[in-house]
Amino acid sequence: MQELEVCQRQIEEYLAGCFAGQPAYRALYEAMRYSLLAGGKRIRPVLTVQFCRALGGTAEQALPFAAAIEMVHTYSLIHDDLPSMDNDTLRRGRPTNHVVYGEGLAILAGDALQTAAFEQVLSASLPAGRCAAAALILARAAGPDGMVAGQVLDMEGETRELSLEEITDMNARKTGCLLEAAAQMGVTAAGGTEAQLRAAREYAAAIGLAFQIRDDMLNITSTREEMGKSVGSDAQRGKSTYVAHLGLEGCARIVEEQTARAKAALAGSGMDSAFFCQLADYLASRDH
């Protein structure tokens, strides 16, 4: 997907300019940049940029919001990998933040990325009302009823078996909320309507569910080298997953259904859906 690659490069260039100074506390900046610039698919900021563009906005308008989404996502990964959480030592093909910088600085790097995200949103060169609306979207998605709640439910899933409904709720909060926020922040950056916000949210919710189910499948079928992180860890920790409940064939069927649902969500929204349909197919068939 050429358009995806172009957008990813724009995001990488913008992020590379963040926290590039050398203050007395530069070790903090180094730890923040280590994880922020570690690569990845950048799907969340891509959604922000592309939804803004789909409504006639520009990448430049959306990039501060896109960077904010990626900062929150990165902070969550740093904390998720900590010994007190998943205790992972590999992320995106490199040692995790706490392995390189120590647990204390890793926690602080995550904290700093979270607050810097809201600075990005609220200082963007857009009408103040759009910045405030985007900040509220991000806060709700990342907070105690969103991403953080999802992590709590994920931790509980290590101590007992979760039902399929509980797994879906957990992933909707842990993964889906931030994807939905990314899409809606792109619409907000361009001054979209309430109907367009709903359409963007429905699209992102569907690809979010498909993404997580595909991730569960790859945790079984892929390799450490392909994924750039530990595989098989869900089973080792006794986590409840879609694969455990539905098997690989059942999971593949739901991925297909949710991908179709994502495409249908944008019909009649007034937004060009070509890129988003291609992205949904790309995510559904990814191998890492």
Side-chain angles (χ1 to χ4, degrees):
M1 292 181 62
Q2 185 177 1
E3 191 173 354
L4 174 61
E5 292 173 1
V6 169
C7 190
Q8 287 169 327
R9 284 197 297 272
Q10 290 176 307
I11 291 161
E12 294 296 343
E13 289 172 5
Y14 187 93
L15 292 174
C18 298
F19 318 114
Q22 292 288 314
Y25 44 89
R26 60 183 175 274
L28 173 63
Y29 276 23
E30 289 172 9
M32 294 165 72
R33 286 170 62 84
Y34 177 82
S35 293
L36 185 63
L37 304 181
K41 302 174 188 65
R42 307 298 194 196
I43 297 304
R44 293 158 187 82
V46 164
L47 286 176
T48 303
V49 171
Q50 291 297 122
F51 268 104
C52 181
R53 292 184 62 201
L55 286 167
T58 65
E60 289 70 27
Q61 281 178 276
L63 280 169
F65 290 2
I69 280 284
E70 194 64 9
M71 287 175 190
V72 169
H73 177 55
T74 301
Y75 118 72
S76 75
L77 297 181
I78 294 173
H79 285 191
D80 198 34
D81 289 336
L82 289 169
S84 59
M85 296 285 189
D86 285 352
N87 195 23
D88 279 326
T89 59
L90 191 70
R91 171 72 67 178
R92 291 172 175 167
R94 303 198 302 173
T96 48
N97 199 290
H98 70 271
V99 171
V100 177
Y101 293 98
E103 192 171 351
L105 192 54
I107 291 170
L108 293 171
D111 292 344
L113 283 165
Q114 180 183 197
T115 50
F118 288 94
E119 182 179 359
Q120 282 282 321
V121 172
L122 293 169
S123 61
S125 298
L126 288 169
R130 295 186 194 179
C131 294
L136 182 58
I137 290 168
L138 182 56
R140 286 174 172 166
D145 296 311
M147 185 181 68
V148 175
Q151 180 62 24
V152 171
L153 295 172
D154 191 23
M155 291 167 60
E156 289 181 0
E158 295 183 18
T159 61
R160 66 179 179 87
E161 184 175 347
L162 301 180
S163 68
L164 193 59
E165 291 75 16
E166 288 174 316
I167 295 171
T168 299
D169 183 44
M170 173 189 74
N171 287 314
R173 296 178 191 279
K174 185 176 179 181
T175 303
C177 278
L178 213 58
L179 285 164
E180 292 170 27
Q184 290 187 303
M185 288 170 73
V187 173
T188 301
T193 66
E194 287 296 323
Q196 289 165 336
L197 283 168
R198 286 194 297 272
R201 182 178 182 179
E202 288 172 13
Y203 170 86
I207 67 164
L209 180 53
F211 185 95
Q212 187 58 56
I213 294 175
R214 184 66 181 156
D215 216 44
D216 282 0
M217 295 169 69
L218 291 172
N219 198 265
I220 299 294
T221 63
S222 191
T223 67
R224 178 184 174 102
E225 289 72 28
E226 288 174 324
M227 292 293 285
K229 61 181 181 180
S230 302
V231 296
S233 54
D234 289 344
Q236 291 168 10
R237 287 196 292 268
K239 282 191 174 183
S240 302
T241 66
Y242 285 104
V243 174
H245 278 272
L246 302 171
L248 289 172
E249 289 187 9
C251 285
R253 184 174 61 255
I254 294 180
V255 169
E256 183 178 348
E257 291 170 356
Q258 291 300 315
T259 300
R261 179 186 169 199
K263 295 176 183 180
L266 299 181
S269 67
M271 294 181 279
D272 183 353
S273 63
F275 171 83
F276 300 108
C277 290
Q278 292 177 37
L279 180 64
D281 286 333
Y282 164 75
L283 294 176
S285 61
R286 66 192 174 93
D287 57 9
H288 63 279

